[in-house]
């Protein structure tokens, strides 16, 4: 797989780089960002945290706003941030922010016109890790994290692939998309009207049926405008309690849905993942 470097910035002794490549699964050009900590300069292979961003985001939001690179450099962890959807003039889109470009929901779409390009689950689970492990000095130790729609993606992907990820974490995740407006809209478009097909991408449903544990940490701001209608952390906590699942749910007074919240606690998440590598 050929990749093209389009930007390069030194940060905390390591390097933040952006690349584009032709995606076979999404049938378009995709972009991702990677932070390589200074430990890579001596030939060491480092573990990777995959970060999945939320609605309307690209690979740039987390890398520029989260303030994660200092601790990633300290711990010797690479961070990989893919885009949130396919892009291009021939890629299906919607006039609203919560469907189409910037809103891939990390599923494999089965319905027209979305199925042609929107194969974000296979991109995150199969294609992108293969590219990263071919081209960069990383090990096969992986963790996954994300925010909002990306939190949904991180937790559900980890539950579906427990042998692939040593840990998972999320900020303000959409925990139960089969039962919230964002999820219902996206899943109807991408997956069709059969709600049983939706459950394979729903964290609460997957956790309820899980037979293998992936340690999880979730942070949720209690002043989040989307808390009650879209995110439903109580459903996740109830499912984890019933399964005696290793979930740490931390709820924080005064914090909202923004990157100010993520930046306040991202160090904890990186140290959480480092403890499980």
């Amino acid at each position: 797989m050929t990749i093209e470097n389009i930007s390069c910035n030194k940060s905390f002794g390591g390097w933040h780089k952006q690349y584009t490549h032709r995606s076979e699964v999404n049938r378009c050009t995709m972009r991702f960002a990677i932070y390589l900590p200074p430990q890579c300069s001596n030939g060491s292979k480092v573990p990777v945290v995959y970060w999945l961003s939320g609605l309307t985001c690209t690979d740039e939001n987390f890398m520029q706003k989260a303030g994660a690179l200092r601790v990633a450099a300290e711990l010797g962890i690479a961070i990989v941030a893919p885009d949130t959807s396919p892009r291009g003039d021939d890629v299906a889109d919607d006039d609203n922010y919560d469907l189409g470009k910037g809103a891939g929901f990390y599923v494999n779409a089965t319905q027209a016109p979305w199925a042609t390009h929107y194969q974000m689950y296979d991109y995150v689970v199969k294609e992108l890790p293969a590219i990263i492990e071919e081209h960069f000095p990383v090990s096969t130790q992986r963790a996954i994290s994300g925010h909002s729609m990306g939190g949904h993606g991180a937790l559900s992907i980890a539950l579906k692939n427990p042998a692939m990820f040593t840990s998972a974490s999320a900020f303000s995740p959409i925990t139960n998309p089969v039962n919230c407006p964002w999820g219902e809209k996206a899943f109807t478009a991408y997956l069709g009207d059969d709600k049983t097909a939706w459950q394979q991408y729903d964290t609460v449903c997957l956790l309820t049926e899980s037979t293998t544990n992936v340690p999880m940490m979730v942070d949720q701001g209690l002043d989040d405008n989307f808390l009650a209608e879209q995110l439903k952390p109580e459903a996740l906590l109830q499912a984890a309690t019933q399964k005696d699942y290793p979930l740490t749910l931390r709820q924080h007074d005064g914090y909202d849905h923004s990157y100010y919240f993520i930046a306040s606690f991202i160090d904890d998440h990186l140290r959480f993942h480092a403890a499980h590598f």
Side-chain angles (χ1 to χ4, degrees), residues 33-46:
I34 185 168
Y35 178 69
L36 297 168
Q39 291 82 352
C40 292
S41 63
N42 63 13
S44 298
K45 290 191 173 184
V46 299

Side-chain angles (χ1 to χ4, degrees), residues 32-233:
F32 67 87
I34 185 168
Y35 178 69
L36 297 168
Q39 291 82 352
C40 292
S41 63
N42 63 13
S44 298
K45 290 191 173 184
V46 299
V48 183
V49 172
Y50 287 86
W51 173 270
L52 307 183
S53 288
L55 290 165
T56 75
C57 291
T58 68
D59 65 287
E60 294 184 334
N61 296 72
F62 177 80
M63 292 298 200
Q64 294 181 5
K65 296 180 179 180
L69 305 189
R70 178 181 61 82
V71 170
E74 173 193 327
L75 298 173
I77 293 173
I79 300 175
V80 172
D83 202 347
T84 54
S85 76
R87 307 280 178 172
D89 293 341
D90 61 340
V91 173
D93 198 11
D94 188 82
D95 290 337
N96 297 298
Y97 75 96
D98 53 357
L99 186 68
K101 295 177 185 178
F105 269 84
Y106 306 102
V107 304
N108 284 341
T110 59
Q111 305 300 302
W114 312 102
T116 301
H117 296 287
Y118 285 76
Q119 303 296 309
M120 287 298 294
Y121 175 85
D122 278 354
Y123 181 70
V124 171
V125 173
K126 299 177 182 178
E127 188 172 43
L128 184 59
I131 292 170
I132 298 302
E133 289 165 21
E134 176 184 354
H135 290 279
F136 301 101
V138 300
S139 72
T140 56
Q141 287 189 304
R142 313 174 196 91
I144 192 165
S145 186
H147 172 232
S148 194
M149 177 187 72
H152 135 73
L155 299 182
S156 61
I157 285 172
L159 286 164
K160 289 167 69 70
N161 301 275
M164 184 175 178
F165 299 100
T166 60
S167 54
S169 71
F171 291 85
S172 316
I174 305 170
T175 67
N176 195 200
V178 302
N179 289 316
C180 79
W182 277 339
E184 290 168 356
K185 178 179 179 177
F187 284 10
T188 299
Y190 296 146
L191 304 173
D193 294 328
D194 181 5
K195 292 189 176 183
T196 59
W198 301 3
Q199 295 177 9
Q200 64 179 307
Y201 298 110
D202 184 285
T203 296
V204 169
C205 296
L206 290 165
L207 193 150
T208 300
E209 300 298 324
S210 176
T211 58
T212 304
N213 293 341
V214 177
M216 289 184 176
M217 183 167 77
V218 172
D219 277 335
Q220 175 63 61
L222 294 179
D223 278 20
D224 191 317
N225 291 337
F226 305 112
L227 180 61
E229 183 179 33
Q230 304 282 12
L231 307 181
K232 303 183 184 295

Side-chain angles (χ1 to χ4, degrees), residues 47 49 75 77 143 166-167 268-277:
V49 172
L75 298 173
I77 293 173
T166 60
S167 54
D268 293 350
H269 283 242
L270 292 176
R271 296 188 192 283
F272 169 77
H273 294 304
H276 292 282
F277 283 138

